Amino acid sequence: MTITRVTQSMMTERSLTGLQGSLGKLADIQEHLSTGRILNRPSDSPTGTAAAMRLRGAIAQQQQFARNAEDGLGWLNTADATLQSTNDQLRTARDRALQGANAATSPAAREALATEVEQIRAGVLAAANTSYLGRPIFGGTTAGSTAYASASPGAGLPEVVTYTGDGGSVSRTVAEGVSIEVQVDGEAAFGPDGDSVFDHLDALAAALRSGDTAAIRAGVDAVTADMDRVGSALANVGARAVRVEQATVRAADAETGLASSLSEIENTDLPQAMVELQMQEVAYQAALAATARVLQPSLVDFLR
């Protein structure tokens, strides 16, 4: 059996090493408590740091999806309100046409009705040029500020409205691999040039002014068809808005889940850290007491 000689110097060094280690553990726990994080530098946990970086990237992606969805909802809600307003105006125009088709309506009354229909046409044109954040919502990807332009072909002639958009797709990515169109094709909502709602309202106003009953009834049918077209566009917008809203909720849920996972990796479990701190304090106090007893002999004690 080999007996290793233990010197006073060895005992002192070992005591100091143990005390320093205990102090280091106390310092680590104190840092976790003061910062609220267990990952304060990559060396604390290389694998945890890598996982935290991946989670932060995923959170940033979900936040971008949510921002895209919010922007898309802005487009679609603007289009929804505009199309509903247009539908209401067309319903009013049709009611005025039905009133003008009555044989008992006087020429002066029909003139007033024609003027009102012309004002409705101007209102619908303004709605068709509605923009969101400076972009015409019915103009596709056009660089212009409006989707429709009006110009008079000659003196005394009604202005002709033409589509100046390009029908291009404006979409927003609201999830991984999911893009949703947020614009509305102007020609799909208001009809193509030459057979648009503006042409129909022009013809209806002229028919009311001239008292042409057959033309008025044809105008009623045309405006009714325009209402159906606007209604279809409205339904399409509503369906897309629902998809975008669902994507917004999914992005928020995903962000919450990822943030929870990140918190488990990075943040300090305060109750656990407090217990560890108390245990480490007890261990350190015990080490100090033991060291004081072991290192108690002085040079005088050896000389006795």
Side-chain angles (χ1 to χ4, degrees), residues 1 26 31 51-52 95 106 125 136 163 184 196 214 252 271 290 304:
M1 178 178 180
L26 270 176
E31 183 183 40
D95 293 343
S106 66
L125 176 59
Y163 184 58
V184 178
S196 68
R304 285 177 181 172

Side-chain angles (χ1 to χ4, degrees), residues 133-213:
L133 298 179
R135 298 278 304 278
I137 59 175
F138 299 106
T141 57
T142 179
S145 59
T146 59
Y148 285 88
S150 63
S152 175
L157 297 175
E159 292 187 339
V160 176
V161 177
T162 54
Y163 184 58
T164 57
D166 59 7
S169 173
V170 179
S171 61
R172 293 291 178 267
T173 301
V174 296
E176 187 72 37
V178 179
S179 293
I180 298 177
E181 290 188 352
V182 296
Q183 95 295 349
V184 178
D185 184 358
E187 290 189 317
F190 300 100
D193 289 346
D195 190 26
S196 68
V197 62
F198 311 106
D199 301 315
H200 299 158
L201 291 174
D202 267 340
L204 179 58
L208 286 168
R209 190 164 280 122
S210 65
D212 186 342
T213 305

Side-chain angles (χ1 to χ4, degrees), residues 270-280:
L270 293 178
Q272 180 181 356
M274 288 299 298
V275 171
E276 290 178 352
L277 178 65
Q278 291 180 355
M279 292 177 64
Q280 195 59 43

Side-chain angles (χ1 to χ4, degrees), residues 24-41 44 266-281:
K25 292 178 181 177
L26 270 176
D28 290 342
I29 297 173
Q30 185 182 26
E31 183 183 40
H32 295 167
L33 287 170
S34 61
T35 62
R37 297 163 55 88
I38 57 176
L39 283 181
N40 292 290
R41 57 192 67 82
D44 289 339
E266 285 189 335
N267 295 343
T268 302
D269 184 341
L270 293 178
Q272 180 181 356
M274 288 299 298
V275 171
E276 290 178 352
L277 178 65
Q278 291 180 355
M279 292 177 64
Q280 195 59 43
E281 283 178 341

Side-chain angles (χ1 to χ4, degrees), residues 39 45-59 258 261-262 265-266:
L39 283 181
S45 173
T47 55
T49 301
M53 290 177 65
R54 287 196 297 272
L55 287 169
R56 287 186 182 282
I59 289 173
L258 290 168
S261 299
L262 181 62
I265 294 175
E266 285 189 335

